[in-house]
Amino acid sequence: DQQVKQNSPSLSVQEGRISILNCDYTNSMFDYFLWYKKYPAEGPTFLISISSIKDKNEDGRFTVFLNKSAKHLSLHIVPSQPGDSAVYFCAAKKSSGDKLTFGTGTRLAVRP
Amino acid sequence: GAGVSQTPSNKVTEKGKYVELRCDPISGHTALYWYRQSLGQGPEFLIYFQGTGAADDSGLPNDRFFAVRPEGSVSTLKIQRTERGDSAVYLCASSLLRTDTQYFGPGTRLTVL
């Protein structure tokens, strides 16, 4: 039972344009969401997070949007840069809990 | 500052052998987590330590897997009688407190032949 889903295994965008990565979840107990970026042969690197009491969180070029009623979140990267090329994982947890539940990842390629 | 470190970075073993994977968390972090990432999948939770005790081991797949953190810092994940299906990248993460952001190490790639 995949509780966190990233339905797009890959995404390719032009440098300077917007990248939008999507994530859906099924467990209504999740109330804290995170995005991690992963380069080959490295561990996941924390990018940005959002609590369920918010619907938007912004950090520089990265913005995460949360739609609780749809159980959907998205990560926007504007403008996209070639160095953003990596695998992006969506993760969810209960704020009172410990373990993260990850999606299967989306591979982003930013073309120069 | 130093991040989470894991050793070895790669481990190749034969089916049936015993392996130990080590994790050094960020200094001062009380919470430590182990995850396993198989090819094409996201990391999957194995076990969580708060201090020296395993607070949640619900993700360990079976009793061949065991982990310890005797002094509340370094942790060792132990796998007995390895099987080919155990081949994966084993990731360790730590956080200052249980509810804080988890920071991951580079992982240990385990290959069971």
Side-chain angles (χ1 to χ4, degrees):
Chain A
D1 175 30
Q2 192 74 24
Q3 297 186 65
V4 178
K5 302 177 184 179
Q6 294 178 257
N7 292 318
S8 298
S10 64
L11 175 68
S12 179
V13 300
Q14 191 77 37
E15 180 179 6
R17 306 294 288 269
I18 184 171
S19 295
I20 300 176
L21 297 96
N22 293 303
C23 177
D24 297 288
Y25 61 97
T26 57
N27 190 338
S28 57
M29 299 296 290
F30 290 146
D31 55 8
Y32 195 75
F33 305 89
L34 308 91
W35 286 92
Y36 282 82
K37 178 170 73 172
K38 187 180 184 303
Y39 293 118
E42 295 183 12
T45 302
F46 170 71
L47 201 53
I48 192 169
S49 62
I50 188 167
S51 164
S52 61
I53 62 173
K54 295 185 173 182
D55 55 17
K56 176 183 174 181
N57 188 27
E58 188 173 354
D59 183 2
R61 296 186 297 114
F62 303 91
T63 303
V64 56
F65 295 92
L66 175 63
N67 182 334
K68 280 191 298 182
S69 61
K71 294 192 177 69
H72 176 85
L73 61 155
S74 61
L75 174 68
H76 293 209
I77 307 174
V78 182
S80 301
Q81 299 174 352
D84 296 329
S85 298
V87 178
Y88 289 78
F89 289 99
C90 170
K93 70 191 288 277
K94 303 171 193 176
S95 57
S96 60
D98 41 70
K99 60 188 176 188
L100 294 173
T101 301
F102 284 86
T104 52
T106 296
R107 183 177 300 278
L108 173 66
V110 180
R111 307 185 304 274
Chain B
V4 178
S5 63
Q6 292 185 246
T7 55
S9 55
N10 280 283
K11 177 71 177 177
V12 181
T13 191
E14 294 180 343
K15 180 175 179 297
K17 298 289 188 182
Y18 168 83
V19 296
E20 288 190 352
L21 311 179
R22 176 187 167 109
C23 172
D24 267 284
I26 293 172
S27 177
H29 280 196
T30 62
L32 184 146
Y33 311 79
W34 284 98
Y35 292 82
R36 177 168 74 172
Q37 185 176 12
S38 301
L39 197 61
Q41 302 296 315
E44 292 179 305
F45 171 79
L46 295 176
I47 186 170
Y48 152 63
F49 286 90
Q50 181 60 48
T52 60
D56 183 353
D57 65 357
S58 61
L60 293 178
N62 51 60
D63 61 6
R64 295 187 298 105
F65 288 74
F66 188 71
V68 296
R69 193 186 186 199
E71 297 178 359
S73 177
V74 171
S75 176
T76 305
L77 178 66
K78 308 180 180 193
I79 310 174
Q80 298 178 320
R81 305 183 305 280
T82 51
E83 300 177 357
R84 292 195 180 89
D86 299 335
S87 296
V89 175
Y90 288 81
L91 294 162
C92 177
S94 71
S95 62
L96 185 60
L97 298 173
R98 178 175 59 84
T99 54
D100 289 337
T101 300
Q102 295 178 28
Y103 296 92
F104 284 81
T108 293
R109 180 176 295 279
L110 175 66
T111 304
V112 182
L113 302 176

